[in-house]
Amino acid sequence: MTAFDYDLFVIGGGSGGVRAARVAAQAGVKVALAEESRYGGTCVIRGCVPKKLMVFASEFPGLMEEAREYGWGGQDGAFDWSKFRTRLEGELTRLETVYRGILKNNGVTTYDARARLIDAHTVELADGQQRRAKHILLATGGRPVRPDVPGAELGMVSDDVFQMTELPDSVLILGGGYIACEFACILNGLGVKTTLYYRGAQVLRGFDDEARGLVAEEMAQSGIDMHMGTNILAMKKSADGIRVKATNGTERVFGAVFFATGRVPNTEGLGLEALGVQVKRGGAVAVDAYSQTAVPSIYAVGDVTDRVNLTPVAIREGMAFVETVFKGKPTKPDHDLIPTAVFTQPEMGTVGLSEEAARALGPIEVYATSFRPMRTSFIGKAARVLMKLIVCAETRRVLGCHIVAPGAGEMIQMAGIAVKMGATKEQFDATCAVHPTMAEELVTMSKPVRVA
Ligand code: NDP
């Protein structure tokens, strides 16, 4: 048995893996990390970051229309996708360099290669080299899946969207989750005729009904052709695009089809089962509250564990792992009251329980107001926003906060602090309003709209 080459070997250079490697190295741990693709992972290279930049790009036509109504002159120009893409690629390369730099500057050895496990302490790289480590951290993330329909190979997934050489004239988006709704708004904003098929009754399943209802309504108002209770039966190539046969009895042709039908953990080919690392149905690595697998030397964080699949959560799981294993301070990552935002237009920001989930747990009061915000009502737009609090009738704690509004992502980060601290409705009310803002409604709603 050879000695260990490293104290820690991390597989995967995304948000969770890079953070764990860095903080471990800063604590004096000898660390190596293997990444087969680009450093930064899904979030930086093919997720949150390029997505948010596309959100910004897609908001300008609406802003220009508003500007004209406010009295500014000028005409809209055409959107130059290739100019945007070149700049985007430059930014992603810059960020990837930053990620590589973080590892290098902290003394982490990196291997630009796929890695798999040979035993509880041994990793084999794609070129056959083997390295031994006292601890191994799996941070291999996840990837988008395509539905099992004839012709599915003709469709794109989110990884492909950033690589498009030109924007299609029309797109069909399949799915009703974060990615489907965000990209429907982005592509619609960029001028692509956008249709969305979702198999369920309402998009954004699991979020507060009233909030997701308003997002769906605003999406439809902005011109997205929304079809609920609809799925794809088959797709085939046609002279003018992709012909899609759907469960609603229609056959339509779209320039592109985009599957946003969920993601699966990257666990294949890692050699996990043979080692005794338990893999759950759906492919996620099973871990305990400290992110430890059934093999004591192997831990896993981030999307590969399919707990809460968000970058900041993976980062916190990575840091808790380092506290637990290398700093002698057993730390469970806290998955309670995680604020999140869906970057639709308008955005939805949410923390805590939906009205429906809270209602099932005990008596609640619901405070909500939906109104036309000042900026766009001034120019006669019908767009509405929503501010909503779910309050426990007994403890008066705010159990949930749901915001649908431009900038809701920024607002919910702040409201999330109060909710996480256990603030009561009366403490919200004791906070002076910031006027005139949309979010001031969160501290001025005096009467519940429902008691349940
Ligand atoms: P989600 O799991 O959120 O949504 C998948 C959607 O596809 C659901 O509406 C689902 O329907 C539908 N679906 C699944 N399988 C099929 C099928 N075979 N045919 C038709 N429809 C199908 O996944 P996403 O891909 O949108 O996002 C993955 C995860 O990434 C999110 O859950 C989130 O954790 C993260 N993310 C976070 C973002 C953010 O923080 N802003 C942005 C983007 C992603 P049904 O509801 O019926 O199951």
Side-chain angles (χ1 to χ4, degrees), residues 176 181 198 200-219 226 228 342 344 346 348 350 354 356 386 388 402-404:
C181 293
Y198 172 52
Q202 184 57 282
V203 292
L204 297 170
R205 182 167 61 82
F207 289 94
D208 183 87
D209 276 353
E210 198 174 5
R212 66 196 181 118
L214 180 56
V215 171
E217 199 179 305
E218 293 295 328
M219 285 171 70
M226 310 271 285
M228 300 300 105
V342 187
T344 40
M348 174 162 75
T350 181
S354 66
E356 297 69 39
L386 171 74
K388 179 167 179 179
H402 310 282
I403 302 174
V404 178

Side-chain angles (χ1 to χ4, degrees), residues 208-240:
D208 183 87
D209 276 353
E210 198 174 5
R212 66 196 181 118
L214 180 56
V215 171
E217 199 179 305
E218 293 295 328
M219 285 171 70
Q221 281 299 320
S222 71
I224 300 167
D225 185 16
M226 310 271 285
H227 295 261
M228 300 300 105
T230 307
N231 211 340
I232 294 180
L233 283 174
M235 298 164 43
K236 65 175 184 228
K237 201 147 184 51
S238 74
D240 39 359

Side-chain angles (χ1 to χ4, degrees), residues 307-347:
R307 286 177 281 183
V308 180
N309 298 333
L310 299 169
T311 275
V313 176
I315 287 172
R316 296 172 77 89
E317 288 170 359
M319 295 190 356
F321 154 77
V322 174
E323 290 290 321
T324 302
V325 174
F326 298 109
K327 296 191 180 176
K329 206 171 133 207
T331 305
K332 297 178 188 172
D334 179 0
H335 293 115
D336 194 28
L337 293 172
I338 295 167
T340 179
V342 187
F343 292 98
T344 40
Q345 294 168 31
E347 294 173 6

Side-chain angles (χ1 to χ4, degrees), residues 231-425:
N231 211 340
I232 294 180
L233 283 174
M235 298 164 43
K236 65 175 184 228
K237 201 147 184 51
S238 74
D240 39 359
I242 302 168
R243 180 168 290 273
V244 177
K245 200 168 159 190
T247 52
N248 60 3
T250 59
E251 266 197 54
R252 289 174 60 186
V253 175
F254 299 94
V257 176
F258 177 173
F259 300 122
T261 45
R263 297 175 60 85
V264 289
N266 284 325
T267 41
E268 289 97 351
L270 286 174
L272 300 180
E273 281 101 335
L275 277 183
V277 173
Q278 202 194 330
V279 175
K280 296 190 279 191
R281 243 184 75 208
V285 175
V287 288
D288 68 9
Y290 296 95
S291 302
Q292 190 174 29
T293 72
V295 177
S297 59
I298 303 177
Y299 287 70
V301 296
D303 288 8
V304 75
T305 62
D306 196 20
R307 286 177 281 183
V308 180
N309 298 333
L310 299 169
T311 275
V313 176
I315 287 172
R316 296 172 77 89
E317 288 170 359
M319 295 190 356
F321 154 77
V322 174
E323 290 290 321
T324 302
V325 174
F326 298 109
K327 296 191 180 176
K329 206 171 133 207
T331 305
K332 297 178 188 172
D334 179 0
H335 293 115
D336 194 28
L337 293 172
I338 295 167
T340 179
V342 187
F343 292 98
T344 40
Q345 294 168 31
E347 294 173 6
M348 174 162 75
T350 181
V351 61
L353 297 175
S354 66
E355 179 179 341
E356 297 69 39
R359 203 187 275 260
L361 296 178
I364 54 163
E365 289 179 359
V366 178
Y367 295 80
T369 175
S370 180
F371 56 96
R372 293 166 65 194
M374 191 179 186
R375 197 181 84 193
T376 45
S377 80
F378 175 67
I379 51 173
K381 280 188 141 186
R384 285 188 306 128
V385 301
L386 171 74
M387 302 288 152
K388 179 167 179 179
L389 296 176
I390 314 297
V391 177
C392 173
E394 282 160 15
T395 63
R396 306 299 301 155
R397 264 185 75 162
V398 175
L399 303 175
C401 175
H402 310 282
I403 302 174
V404 178
E410 304 289 345
M411 294 179 209
I412 204 67
Q413 180 67 83
M414 299 293 116
I417 300 170
V419 175
K420 182 77 182 163
M421 288 175 73
T424 60
K425 175 69 169 69

Side-chain angles (χ1 to χ4, degrees), residues 127-209:
D127 63 3
Q129 289 185 69
Q130 294 192 352
R131 293 288 181 272
R132 286 178 53 76
K134 189 163 184 211
H135 299 280
I136 294 170
L137 180 67
L138 302 170
T140 50
R143 63 178 188 283
V145 278
R146 286 162 197 273
D148 186 16
V149 291
E153 70 283 356
L154 298 170
M156 298 186 286
V157 292
S158 56
D159 291 358
D160 307 317
V161 114
F162 309 109
Q163 306 297 329
M164 290 186 295
T165 49
E166 54 186 38
L167 288 179
D169 293 339
S170 64
V171 67
L172 168 65
I173 297 182
L174 182 68
Y178 278 84
I179 296 180
C181 293
E182 289 181 344
F183 275 95
C185 294
I186 289 169
L187 293 169
N188 181 56
L190 293 178
V192 180
K193 200 169 171 324
T194 304
T195 303
L196 184 142
Y197 288 174
Y198 172 52
R199 64 184 178 183
Q202 184 57 282
V203 292
L204 297 170
R205 182 167 61 82
F207 289 94
D208 183 87
D209 276 353

